[in-house]
Amino acid sequence: MVENNSPVIGTRENIEVVERINYNGLTLEIIEYTKFLGSRRPSAASTLWFMEQQNIKPRQLVFYIENDSVQVEAGAMSYFKGPLEMVSGVTPGNVVGKKIKGSLTGEGAAKPIYKGSGMLVLEPSFRHFIPFTLEEGDMVIVDKGMFFAASGSVKLEPVMQKNASAGLLGGEGMFQLGIKGPGLVVLESRVPMEEIDIVELNNDLLKVDGNFVLLRTGDIDFTVERSAKTLMGSAASGEGLVNVYRGTGQVWLSPNLKIYDSFGV
């Protein structure tokens, strides 16, 4: 259990710290609102109750920065305290390149950077935050829209699919977002970590029917291929084309995404 002696909670009574991570000059806290206390509409009571039962709760990221820096998704800042300096990272010399990279990966062109010392609080989200650290030279490739925040040492860059079939038929586009260490990274996910299966590959392959891979490490190759060796075999199996991941590293799967999509959530 994480202690709730956090400055960000202040005098509020409906918040708890669910995770705390220290990395160099950063302390990251993930806070969660345990209950909605402000509703005055009786008609909303049942909706709020069922939301609590299904763990549909707002969560926020809080960074305590000590002579360090944090980069966040554009528009993600809620408020900050202390002498933090915000820089856009966009200059007249790189604005075109930033826009091109953003359009390729589906991410915003500018990732504001907050540097110095102070407390940075990001906007609440009903999605789930997944924090992890990368060592020097480590890289992960993530699904579009998952990046939320990272330490300033992390590099973000578009990664082109190595195979034309992956770009045209894989459902991810020709480019995905590469996140390269060292540093602390936080992803925003539709599903919690408890519903993500981390598959370890050791010079092996993984075939997936659908777009429910959230992340792969940089040493994993991604292609789209027939599910069987022959067209007749693929047709008989009912699968057709599948996404194929080869190499050594990790692939993060969330098969439940198909179920959530069927519910429209």
Side-chain angles (χ1 to χ4, degrees):
M1 183 67 180
V2 181
E3 293 184 2
N4 281 327
N5 55 343
S6 172
V8 75
I9 293 178
T11 58
R12 295 177 291 181
E13 299 179 357
N14 64 330
I15 296 175
E16 63 181 14
V17 180
V18 295
E19 192 165 358
R20 182 180 290 122
I21 297 175
N22 295 309
Y23 183 87
N24 292 342
L26 303 176
T27 296
L28 165 67
E29 289 182 347
I30 301 178
I31 63 173
E32 183 176 85
Y33 291 76
T34 57
K35 186 180 287 290
F36 291 97
L37 302 176
S39 175
R40 294 179 292 176
R41 294 173 52 212
S43 60
S46 61
T47 298
L48 295 176
W49 186 83
F50 280 111
M51 288 174 65
E52 292 173 12
Q53 298 306 304
Q54 287 300 116
N55 198 34
I56 303 176
K57 301 175 181 179
R59 301 170 185 87
Q60 282 182 285
L61 297 185
V62 183
F63 286 95
Y64 301 95
I65 307 171
E66 186 66 35
N67 295 319
D68 210 323
S69 62
V70 173
Q71 54 187 316
V72 305
E73 184 60 35
M77 190 274 289
S78 179
Y79 64 94
F80 64 85
K81 177 183 178 183
L84 289 173
E85 178 187 3
M86 191 280 283
V87 293
S88 68
V90 176
T91 66
N94 68 13
V95 62
V96 175
K98 291 280 187 179
K99 286 186 176 181
I100 292 175
K101 288 183 178 181
S103 65
L104 292 176
T105 61
E107 304 286 339
K111 297 287 189 292
I113 299 172
Y114 296 84
K115 59 182 182 179
S117 298
M119 180 179 72
L120 171 66
V121 184
L122 303 187
E123 289 284 357
S125 173
F126 280 108
R127 292 196 173 196
H128 303 271
F129 293 120
I130 301 177
F132 57 90
T133 59
L134 294 173
E135 300 295 330
E136 178 75 42
D138 286 350
M139 185 173 73
V140 295
I141 300 169
V142 301
D143 206 359
K144 292 179 180 178
M146 289 192 69
F147 174 82
F148 199 73
S151 54
S153 57
V154 168
K155 294 182 179 180
L156 308 175
E157 55 190 34
V159 176
M160 185 176 181
Q161 309 290 10
K162 296 180 181 179
N163 187 287
S165 67
L168 297 174
L169 304 172
E172 304 291 352
M174 286 300 299
F175 293 87
Q176 289 183 276
L177 181 65
I179 305 176
K180 190 173 183 179
L184 173 64
V185 179
V186 185
L187 302 180
E188 187 183 34
S189 171
R190 290 173 57 191
V191 295
M193 197 65 207
E194 291 83 355
E195 293 187 9
I196 296 175
D197 184 18
I198 300 178
V199 180
E200 298 278 354
L201 297 181
N202 183 12
N203 194 27
D204 205 346
L205 67 83
L206 174 72
K207 294 186 177 183
V208 177
D209 180 21
N211 297 322
F212 52 87
V213 169
L214 303 179
L215 175 153
R216 68 183 189 273
T217 54
D219 292 333
I220 299 292
D221 288 331
F222 169 42
T223 59
V224 175
E225 302 173 11
R226 293 196 300 262
S227 59
K229 292 183 178 180
T230 65
L231 288 172
M232 184 173 295
S234 296
S237 70
E239 302 299 341
L241 299 175
V242 293
N243 294 345
V244 180
Y245 300 86
R246 284 186 177 85
T248 299
Q250 293 183 351
V251 179
W252 291 17
L253 301 176
S254 181
N256 274 1
L257 284 175
K258 284 188 173 182
I259 299 175
Y260 291 132
D261 286 342
S262 69
F263 292 157
V265 296

Coordinates of all heavy atoms in Angstrom, one line a residue, residues 115-187:
K115 N 10.8 22.2 -17.0 CA 12.1 21.9 -16.4 C 12.3 22.9 -15.2 O 11.7 23.9 -15.1 CB 13.2 22.1 -17.5 CG 13.3 23.5 -18.1 CD 14.4 23.5 -19.2 CE 14.5 24.9 -19.8 NZ 15.6 24.9 -20.8
G116 N 13.2 22.4 -14.3 CA 13.5 23.1 -13.1 C 13.1 22.3 -11.9 O 13.4 21.1 -11.8
S117 N 12.5 23.0 -11.0 CA 12.1 22.3 -9.7 C 10.6 22.8 -9.4 O 10.3 24.0 -9.4 CB 13.0 22.7 -8.6 OG 14.3 22.2 -8.8
G118 N 9.8 21.8 -9.0 CA 8.4 22.1 -8.7 C 7.5 20.9 -8.8 O 8.0 19.8 -9.0
M119 N 6.2 21.2 -8.7 CA 5.2 20.1 -8.8 C 4.4 20.3 -10.0 O 3.8 21.4 -10.2 CB 4.3 20.1 -7.6 CG 3.3 19.0 -7.6 SD 2.2 19.0 -6.1 CE 1.2 20.5 -6.4
L120 N 4.3 19.3 -10.9 CA 3.6 19.4 -12.1 C 2.4 18.3 -12.1 O 2.7 17.2 -11.9 CB 4.5 19.1 -13.3 CG 3.8 18.9 -14.7 CD1 3.2 20.2 -15.2 CD2 4.8 18.4 -15.7
V121 N 1.2 18.8 -12.2 CA 0.0 18.0 -12.2 C -0.6 17.9 -13.6 O -0.9 19.0 -14.1 CB -1.0 18.4 -11.1 CG1 -2.2 17.5 -11.1 CG2 -0.3 18.6 -9.8
L122 N -0.9 16.8 -14.1 CA -1.5 16.6 -15.4 C -3.0 16.4 -15.3 O -3.5 16.1 -14.3 CB -0.8 15.5 -16.2 CG 0.7 15.6 -16.3 CD1 1.3 14.5 -17.3 CD2 1.1 17.0 -16.8
E123 N -3.6 16.5 -16.5 CA -5.1 16.4 -16.5 C -5.6 15.1 -16.1 O -4.9 14.0 -16.4 CB -5.6 16.7 -18.0 CG -5.5 18.2 -18.4 CD -6.5 19.1 -17.8 OE1 -7.4 18.6 -17.0 OE2 -6.5 20.3 -18.0
P124 N -6.7 15.0 -15.5 CA -7.3 13.7 -15.1 C -7.7 12.9 -16.3 O -8.1 13.5 -17.4 CB -8.5 14.0 -14.2 CG -8.7 15.4 -14.4 CD -7.6 16.1 -15.0
S125 N -7.7 11.6 -16.2 CA -8.1 10.7 -17.3 C -8.8 9.5 -16.7 O -8.4 9.0 -15.7 CB -6.9 10.3 -18.1 OG -7.2 9.3 -19.1
F126 N -9.8 9.0 -17.5 CA -10.5 7.7 -17.1 C -9.7 6.5 -17.6 O -10.0 5.4 -17.3 CB -11.9 7.7 -17.6 CG -12.9 8.5 -16.8 CD1 -13.4 9.7 -17.2 CD2 -13.3 8.0 -15.5 CE1 -14.3 10.4 -16.5 CE2 -14.2 8.7 -14.7 CZ -14.7 9.9 -15.2
R127 N -8.7 6.8 -18.4 CA -7.9 5.7 -18.9 C -6.8 5.3 -17.8 O -6.8 5.8 -16.7 CB -7.2 6.1 -20.2 CG -8.2 6.2 -21.3 CD -7.5 6.2 -22.7 NE -8.5 6.2 -23.8 CZ -8.2 5.9 -25.0 NH1 -6.9 5.6 -25.3 NH2 -9.1 5.9 -26.0
H128 N -6.0 4.3 -18.1 CA -5.1 3.7 -17.2 C -3.7 4.1 -17.5 O -3.3 4.1 -18.7 CB -5.2 2.2 -17.2 CG -6.6 1.7 -16.9 ND1 -7.0 1.5 -15.6 CD2 -7.6 1.4 -17.7 CE1 -8.3 1.1 -15.6 NE2 -8.7 1.0 -16.9
F129 N -2.9 4.5 -16.5 CA -1.5 5.0 -16.7 C -0.6 3.8 -16.5 O -0.7 3.1 -15.5 CB -1.2 6.1 -15.8 CG -1.9 7.4 -16.1 CD1 -2.8 8.0 -15.2 CD2 -1.8 8.0 -17.4 CE1 -3.5 9.1 -15.5 CE2 -2.5 9.1 -17.7 CZ -3.3 9.7 -16.7
I130 N 0.4 3.6 -17.4 CA 1.3 2.5 -17.3 C 2.7 3.1 -17.3 O 3.2 3.5 -18.4 CB 1.2 1.5 -18.5 CG1 -0.2 0.9 -18.5 CG2 2.2 0.4 -18.4 CD1 -0.5 0.0 -19.6
P131 N 3.4 3.2 -16.1 CA 4.7 3.7 -16.1 C 5.8 2.6 -16.2 O 5.6 1.5 -15.7 CB 4.8 4.4 -14.7 CG 3.8 3.5 -13.9 CD 2.8 2.9 -14.8
F132 N 6.9 2.9 -16.8 CA 8.1 2.0 -16.8 C 9.3 2.8 -17.1 O 9.2 4.0 -17.6 CB 7.9 0.9 -17.8 CG 7.6 1.3 -19.2 CD1 8.7 1.5 -20.1 CD2 6.3 1.6 -19.7 CE1 8.4 2.0 -21.4 CE2 6.1 2.0 -21.0 CZ 7.1 2.2 -21.9
T133 N 10.5 2.2 -17.0 CA 11.7 2.9 -17.3 C 12.4 2.2 -18.4 O 12.3 0.9 -18.6 CB 12.6 2.9 -16.0 OG1 12.9 1.6 -15.6 CG2 12.0 3.7 -14.9
L134 N 13.2 2.9 -19.1 CA 14.0 2.4 -20.2 C 15.5 2.7 -19.9 O 15.8 3.8 -19.4 CB 13.6 3.1 -21.6 CG 12.3 2.8 -22.1 CD1 12.0 3.7 -23.4 CD2 12.1 1.3 -22.5
E135 N 16.3 1.7 -20.2 CA 17.8 1.9 -20.0 C 18.3 2.6 -21.3 O 17.6 2.8 -22.3 CB 18.5 0.6 -19.8 CG 18.0 -0.2 -18.6 CD 18.3 0.6 -17.3 OE1 19.3 1.3 -17.3 OE2 17.6 0.4 -16.3
E136 N 19.6 3.1 -21.2 CA 20.2 3.7 -22.3 C 20.2 2.8 -23.6 O 20.6 1.7 -23.5 CB 21.7 4.0 -22.0 CG 22.5 4.7 -23.1 CD 22.2 6.1 -23.3 OE1 22.0 6.8 -22.2 OE2 22.1 6.6 -24.4
G137 N 19.7 3.3 -24.7 CA 19.6 2.6 -25.9 C 18.4 1.7 -26.1 O 18.1 1.3 -27.2
D138 N 17.6 1.5 -25.0 CA 16.4 0.7 -25.1 C 15.4 1.5 -25.9 O 15.2 2.7 -25.7 CB 15.9 0.3 -23.8 CG 16.7 -0.8 -23.1 OD1 17.6 -1.4 -23.8 OD2 16.5 -1.1 -21.9
M139 N 14.6 0.8 -26.7 CA 13.5 1.4 -27.4 C 12.3 0.6 -27.5 O 12.4 -0.7 -27.6 CB 13.9 1.8 -28.9 CG 12.8 2.6 -29.6 SD 13.3 3.2 -31.2 CE 13.3 1.7 -32.2
V140 N 11.1 1.2 -27.3 CA 9.8 0.5 -27.5 C 9.0 1.2 -28.6 O 9.2 2.4 -28.8 CB 9.0 0.4 -26.2 CG1 9.7 -0.4 -25.2 CG2 8.7 1.8 -25.7
I141 N 8.2 0.5 -29.3 CA 7.3 1.0 -30.3 C 5.9 0.9 -29.9 O 5.5 -0.3 -29.6 CB 7.6 0.4 -31.7 CG1 9.0 0.6 -32.1 CG2 6.6 0.9 -32.8 CD1 9.4 -0.3 -33.3
V142 N 5.1 2.0 -29.8 CA 3.8 1.9 -29.1 C 2.7 2.3 -30.1 O 3.0 2.9 -31.2 CB 3.8 2.8 -27.9 CG1 4.8 2.5 -26.9 CG2 3.9 4.3 -28.3
D143 N 1.5 1.9 -29.7 CA 0.3 2.2 -30.5 C 0.1 3.7 -30.5 O 0.5 4.4 -29.6 CB -0.9 1.4 -30.0 CG -1.9 1.2 -31.0 OD1 -1.7 1.5 -32.2 OD2 -3.0 0.5 -30.6
K144 N -0.6 4.2 -31.5 CA -0.9 5.6 -31.6 C -1.7 6.1 -30.5 O -2.6 5.4 -30.0 CB -1.6 5.9 -32.9 CG -0.8 5.7 -34.2 CD -1.6 5.9 -35.5 CE -0.8 5.7 -36.7 NZ -1.6 5.9 -37.9
G145 N -1.3 7.3 -30.0 CA -2.1 7.9 -28.9 C -1.8 7.5 -27.5 O -2.4 7.9 -26.6
M146 N -0.8 6.5 -27.3 CA -0.5 6.0 -26.0 C 0.4 6.8 -25.2 O 0.4 6.8 -24.0 CB 0.0 4.6 -26.1 CG -1.0 3.5 -26.5 SD -0.5 1.8 -26.3 CE -0.4 1.7 -24.5
F147 N 1.3 7.6 -25.9 CA 2.3 8.4 -25.1 C 1.5 9.5 -24.3 O 0.7 10.2 -24.8 CB 3.3 9.0 -26.0 CG 4.2 10.0 -25.3 CD1 5.3 9.5 -24.6 CD2 4.0 11.4 -25.3 CE1 6.2 10.4 -23.9 CE2 4.8 12.2 -24.6 CZ 5.9 11.7 -23.9
F148 N 1.9 9.6 -23.0 CA 1.4 10.7 -22.2 C 2.4 11.6 -21.6 O 2.3 12.8 -21.5 CB 0.5 10.0 -21.1 CG -0.5 11.0 -20.5 CD1 -1.6 11.4 -21.3 CD2 -0.4 11.5 -19.3 CE1 -2.5 12.3 -20.8 CE2 -1.3 12.4 -18.7 CZ -2.4 12.8 -19.5
A149 N 3.5 11.0 -21.0 CA 4.5 11.8 -20.4 C 5.8 11.0 -20.3 O 5.8 9.7 -20.4 CB 4.1 12.2 -19.0
A150 N 6.9 11.7 -20.1 CA 8.2 11.0 -20.0 C 9.2 12.0 -19.4 O 9.0 13.2 -19.5 CB 8.7 10.5 -21.3
S151 N 10.3 11.5 -18.9 CA 11.4 12.4 -18.4 C 12.0 13.0 -19.7 O 11.9 12.5 -20.8 CB 12.4 11.6 -17.6 OG 12.9 10.5 -18.3
G152 N 12.7 14.2 -19.5 CA 13.2 14.9 -20.6 C 14.3 14.2 -21.3 O 14.6 14.5 -22.5
S153 N 14.9 13.2 -20.7 CA 16.0 12.4 -21.4 C 15.5 11.5 -22.4 O 16.3 11.0 -23.2 CB 16.8 11.6 -20.3 OG 15.9 10.8 -19.6
V154 N 14.2 11.2 -22.5 CA 13.6 10.2 -23.4 C 13.5 10.9 -24.8 O 13.1 12.1 -24.9 CB 12.2 9.7 -22.9 CG1 11.5 9.0 -24.0 CG2 12.4 8.9 -21.7
K155 N 13.8 10.1 -25.8 CA 13.6 10.6 -27.2 C 12.4 10.0 -27.9 O 12.2 8.8 -27.8 CB 14.9 10.4 -28.0 CG 16.1 11.1 -27.5 CD 17.4 10.8 -28.4 CE 18.6 11.6 -27.9 NZ 19.8 11.3 -28.7
L156 N 11.7 10.8 -28.6 CA 10.5 10.4 -29.3 C 10.8 10.5 -30.8 O 11.2 11.6 -31.2 CB 9.2 11.2 -28.9 CG 8.9 11.2 -27.4 CD1 7.7 12.1 -27.2 CD2 8.7 9.8 -26.9
E157 N 10.5 9.5 -31.6 CA 10.8 9.6 -33.0 C 9.9 8.6 -33.8 O 9.6 7.6 -33.3 CB 12.3 9.2 -33.3 CG 12.7 7.9 -32.7 CD 14.2 7.7 -32.8 OE1 15.0 8.6 -32.6 OE2 14.6 6.5 -33.0
P158 N 9.6 9.0 -35.0 CA 8.7 8.1 -35.8 C 9.6 6.9 -36.3 O 10.7 7.1 -36.7 CB 8.3 9.0 -37.0 CG 9.3 10.1 -37.1 CD 9.8 10.3 -35.7
V159 N 9.0 5.8 -36.3 CA 9.6 4.6 -36.8 C 8.8 4.0 -38.0 O 7.7 3.7 -37.8 CB 9.7 3.5 -35.6 CG1 10.3 2.2 -36.2 CG2 10.5 4.0 -34.5
M160 N 9.5 3.9 -39.1 CA 8.9 3.4 -40.3 C 8.8 1.9 -40.3 O 9.8 1.2 -39.9 CB 9.6 3.9 -41.5 CG 8.9 3.5 -42.8 SD 9.8 4.3 -44.3 CE 8.8 3.7 -45.6
Q161 N 7.7 1.4 -40.7 CA 7.5 -0.1 -40.8 C 8.6 -0.6 -41.8 O 8.7 -0.1 -42.9 CB 6.1 -0.5 -41.2 CG 5.0 0.1 -40.4 CD 4.9 -0.4 -39.0 OE1 5.8 -1.1 -38.5 NE2 3.8 0.0 -38.4
K162 N 9.3 -1.7 -41.4 CA 10.3 -2.2 -42.3 C 9.7 -3.0 -43.5 O 10.4 -3.2 -44.4 CB 11.2 -3.2 -41.4 CG 12.0 -2.5 -40.3 CD 12.8 -3.4 -39.6 CE 13.6 -2.7 -38.5 NZ 14.4 -3.7 -37.7
N163 N 8.5 -3.4 -43.3 CA 7.8 -4.2 -44.4 C 6.6 -3.4 -44.9 O 5.8 -3.0 -44.1 CB 7.5 -5.5 -43.8 CG 7.0 -6.5 -44.9 OD1 5.9 -6.3 -45.4 ND2 7.8 -7.5 -45.2
A164 N 6.4 -3.3 -46.2 CA 5.3 -2.6 -46.8 C 4.0 -3.2 -46.4 O 3.0 -2.5 -46.2 CB 5.4 -2.6 -48.3
S165 N 4.0 -4.6 -46.2 CA 2.7 -5.2 -45.8 C 2.2 -4.8 -44.5 O 1.0 -4.6 -44.2 CB 2.9 -6.7 -45.8 OG 3.8 -7.1 -44.8
A166 N 3.2 -4.5 -43.5 CA 2.8 -4.0 -42.2 C 2.2 -2.6 -42.3 O 1.2 -2.3 -41.6 CB 4.0 -4.0 -41.3
G167 N 2.8 -1.8 -43.1 CA 2.2 -0.4 -43.2 C 0.9 -0.3 -43.9 O 0.0 0.5 -43.5
L168 N 0.7 -1.2 -44.9 CA -0.5 -1.1 -45.7 C -1.7 -1.9 -45.2 O -2.8 -1.6 -45.3 CB -0.2 -1.6 -47.2 CG 0.8 -0.7 -47.9 CD1 1.1 -1.3 -49.3 CD2 0.2 0.7 -48.1
L169 N -1.3 -3.1 -44.5 CA -2.4 -4.0 -44.1 C -2.4 -4.2 -42.6 O -3.3 -4.9 -42.1 CB -2.1 -5.4 -44.8 CG -2.1 -5.3 -46.3 CD1 -1.7 -6.7 -46.9 CD2 -3.4 -4.9 -46.9
G170 N -1.4 -3.7 -41.9 CA -1.4 -4.0 -40.4 C -2.3 -3.2 -39.5 O -2.4 -3.5 -38.3
G171 N -2.9 -2.1 -40.1 CA -3.8 -1.3 -39.3 C -3.1 -0.3 -38.4 O -3.7 0.4 -37.7
E172 N -1.7 -0.2 -38.5 CA -1.0 0.7 -37.7 C -0.4 1.9 -38.5 O 0.1 2.8 -38.0 CB 0.2 0.0 -37.0 CG -0.2 -1.2 -36.2 CD -1.0 -0.8 -34.9 OE1 -1.1 0.4 -34.6 OE2 -1.5 -1.7 -34.3
G173 N -0.6 1.9 -39.8 CA 0.0 2.9 -40.7 C 1.5 2.6 -41.0 O 2.1 1.7 -40.4
M174 N 2.1 3.5 -41.8 CA 3.4 3.3 -42.2 C 4.4 3.7 -41.1 O 5.6 3.2 -41.1 CB 3.8 4.1 -43.5 CG 3.2 3.5 -44.8 SD 3.8 1.8 -45.1 CE 5.5 2.0 -45.3
F175 N 4.0 4.5 -40.2 CA 4.8 4.9 -39.1 C 4.2 4.7 -37.7 O 3.0 4.9 -37.6 CB 5.2 6.4 -39.3 CG 6.0 6.7 -40.5 CD1 5.4 7.0 -41.7 CD2 7.4 6.8 -40.3 CE1 6.2 7.3 -42.8 CE2 8.2 7.1 -41.5 CZ 7.6 7.3 -42.7
Q176 N 5.0 4.4 -36.8 CA 4.5 4.3 -35.4 C 5.5 5.1 -34.5 O 6.6 5.5 -35.0 CB 4.5 2.9 -34.9 CG 3.3 2.1 -35.5 CD 3.3 0.7 -34.9 OE1 3.9 -0.2 -35.4 NE2 2.4 0.5 -33.9
L177 N 5.1 5.4 -33.3 CA 6.0 6.2 -32.4 C 7.0 5.3 -31.7 O 6.6 4.3 -31.0 CB 5.1 6.9 -31.3 CG 5.9 7.8 -30.4 CD1 6.5 8.9 -31.1 CD2 5.0 8.3 -29.2
G178 N 8.3 5.6 -31.9 CA 9.4 5.0 -31.1 C 9.7 5.8 -29.9 O 9.9 7.0 -30.0
I179 N 9.9 5.2 -28.8 CA 10.3 5.8 -27.5 C 11.6 5.2 -27.1 O 11.7 4.0 -26.8 CB 9.2 5.6 -26.4 CG1 7.9 6.1 -26.9 CG2 9.6 6.4 -25.2 CD1 6.7 5.9 -26.0
K180 N 12.6 6.1 -27.0 CA 14.0 5.6 -26.8 C 14.6 6.1 -25.5 O 14.4 7.3 -25.2 CB 14.9 6.0 -27.9 CG 16.3 5.3 -27.9 CD 17.1 5.7 -29.2 CE 18.4 5.0 -29.2 NZ 19.2 5.2 -30.5
G181 N 15.2 5.2 -24.7 CA 15.7 5.6 -23.4 C 17.1 6.2 -23.5 O 17.7 6.4 -24.6
P182 N 17.6 6.7 -22.3 CA 17.1 6.3 -21.0 C 16.0 7.3 -20.5 O 15.9 8.4 -20.9 CB 18.4 6.5 -20.1 CG 19.1 7.6 -20.8 CD 18.9 7.5 -22.3
G183 N 15.3 6.7 -19.5 CA 14.3 7.6 -18.9 C 13.0 6.9 -18.4 O 12.9 5.7 -18.6
L184 N 12.2 7.7 -17.7 CA 10.9 7.2 -17.2 C 9.8 7.6 -18.2 O 9.8 8.7 -18.8 CB 10.6 7.9 -15.9 CG 9.2 7.7 -15.3 CD1 9.0 6.3 -14.9 CD2 9.1 8.6 -14.0
V185 N 9.0 6.6 -18.5 CA 7.9 6.8 -19.5 C 6.6 6.4 -18.9 O 6.5 5.5 -18.1 CB 8.2 5.8 -20.8 CG1 7.0 6.0 -21.8 CG2 9.5 6.1 -21.4
V186 N 5.5 7.2 -19.3 CA 4.2 6.8 -18.8 C 3.3 6.8 -20.1 O 3.2 7.8 -20.8 CB 3.6 7.9 -17.8 CG1 2.2 7.4 -17.3 CG2 4.5 8.1 -16.7
L187 N 2.6 5.6 -20.3 CA 1.7 5.5 -21.4 C 0.3 5.6 -20.8 O 0.0 5.3 -19.7 CB 1.9 4.1 -22.0 CG 3.2 3.8 -22.6 CD1 3.2 2.4 -23.2 CD2 3.7 4.8 -23.6

